[in-house]
Amino acid sequence: MAMLTTERYISTHKHRFLDELKHFLRIPSISTSKEYAEDMRKAAAFVKEKILEAGADQARLIETVGYPLVYGETVVDKDLPTVLVYGHYDVQPAEPYELWNTPPFEPVIKEDKIYARGASDDKGQVYMHIKALETLLATQQLPCNVKFLIEGEEESGSQGLTQFLQDKENHALLQADVVLVSDTTLISLAQPSLTIGLRGIVYLEVEVTGPNRDLHSGAYGGAVGNPIHLLCQMMASLHDEHRRITIPGFYDRVEILSQQERDVIAQTPFSLSEYQESLGIAAVLGEQGYSTLERIGIRPSLDINGIWGGYTGEGGKTVLPSKAYAKLSMRLVPHQDSATIVQQFTDYLSTMAPESVKVNVKVVHAGSNAVVINKDSVVLQAAEKAFEEVWDQRPLRTRDGGSIPIVSKLQESLGCDSVLMGFGLDSDAVHSPNEHFGLTNFFKGMETVMAFYQYLTTSHVS
Ligand code: BES
Ligand code: MN
Ligand code: MN
């Protein structure tokens, strides 16, 4: 009897794949708020069940200090290469709800795209991997061993998984020849790409305390330091007139790119006018001397994510506030060390703060360093071949500005290369209202993953 082809299997089960994905997307697994703790567990259990249903040898939940990890594995033959698929089942909050055309946790398919929070980041991409495994097992064509590590705290700093990795006894379980991650974007459907760099991140909260209580702004105004003013001044002076970050030592270890590497970036298809238009801005703004793609891919950045304090309710309240706050994130590039950056920032703020206020800096998420993919690795070459086969085009190599905090830690702990094979698009509106994922991206993604397993195995020398 002729062997069932993967194409045949997929076309027979296509509708079921999408129905199941919808089920996954209906679970509001928002990791940043305790309110959804129960849904987080439901999402973890769903992933585990689906890995088992795909035919894996085993799948289970691993408890952590935070939300559970889902671990699964299928061993074909110990002498064959092993892929560790990493992804996340948690999603970002969906607010503001009123800007969604359809509710964020009621997935719908429109014009070949599935709309829901997490459709692209990262549930759709995680599901693609589970269905690729199912397809390969059902057609008896799985060429390598596959492990799954799907976490629930990527969007909130990966605390549980970070702690899990700190215990060296856990490394054996995850041992693999490559960590495969689908949580990034392609340049476009017409121009596939592989991500070879991600920025690291530190996420901090600053608290500025002035007087021991809110004061009457008439009785005290002009005589007592206002924490909001001082916080704003400090935040504003974190960039200079060239839009460089002023923290002493911040750029000391920043990787300097060769002209050749900058030329490669300059060849990436990118239209500044389309970019500006898509964002509704008349001009971009960033560090002097660098292009937009360089500012995102190879230069560090600092953004204030929110700032608050004092009175913001209805009407007026004449108050000189006791406290002011800001949340801020810094994106780091290769060789910058997240712990050093936190220290440099904290020291700098304390030297900047006038005596009339106290400044306290709190780390919100465990920091992470930038990710650099080994450009000569055989696993990257296998990934390139897989793209060439499925997309009829050689993928370009890109450096993305976003962060996946655990990737650098997985590379360090397991000592293996990783492949960032993401199938989202910048237009997917991840973290924004109306997030969506293209069905073409889903199915071509599945095919690319399956081709990758094949090339990895044939190129493997044990
Ligand atoms: N999938 C994204 C990271 C990403 C986005 C990489 C776009 C490349 C292109 C991930 O889920 C994410 O949003 N990460 C957070 C991490 C943070 C919350 C610690 C980020 O980058 O802000
Ligand atoms: Mn993600
Ligand atoms: Mn995300």
Side-chain angles (χ1 to χ4, degrees), residues 88 121 154-155 183-184 198 331 365 400 402-405 431:
H88 59 97
D121 183 11
E154 195 279 338
E155 301 289 8
D183 193 22
T184 51
L198 286 173
R331 300 286 171 167
H365 295 157
D400 290 352
S403 310
I404 307 174
H431 296 202

Side-chain angles (χ1 to χ4, degrees), residues 88-161:
H88 59 97
Y89 64 82
D90 63 324
V91 302
Q92 285 271 321
E95 288 90 348
Y97 286 96
E98 65 279 11
L99 295 183
W100 284 78
N101 297 328
T102 53
F105 298 105
E106 293 174 30
V108 287
I109 296 175
K110 272 185 301 193
E111 288 160 5
D112 277 339
K113 296 180 189 76
I114 185 157
Y115 286 80
R117 169 57 84 234
S120 172
D121 183 11
D122 185 35
K123 285 174 168 173
Q125 304 207 57
V126 165
Y127 213 60
M128 216 173 59
H129 280 278
I130 298 176
K131 294 299 107 174
L133 179 70
E134 176 187 317
T135 302
L136 290 169
L137 285 172
T139 58
Q140 296 173 348
Q141 294 181 58
L142 182 64
C144 58
N145 307 315
V146 178
K147 294 178 176 179
F148 277 97
L149 177 66
I150 313 298
E151 71 152 315
E153 295 176 292
E154 195 279 338
E155 301 289 8
S156 54
S158 300
Q159 206 202 352
L161 181 50

Side-chain angles (χ1 to χ4, degrees), residues 400-415:
D400 290 352
S403 310
I404 307 174
I406 210 67
V407 176
S408 55
K409 295 173 193 173
L410 280 171
Q411 288 191 164
E412 283 159 27
S413 307
L414 308 180

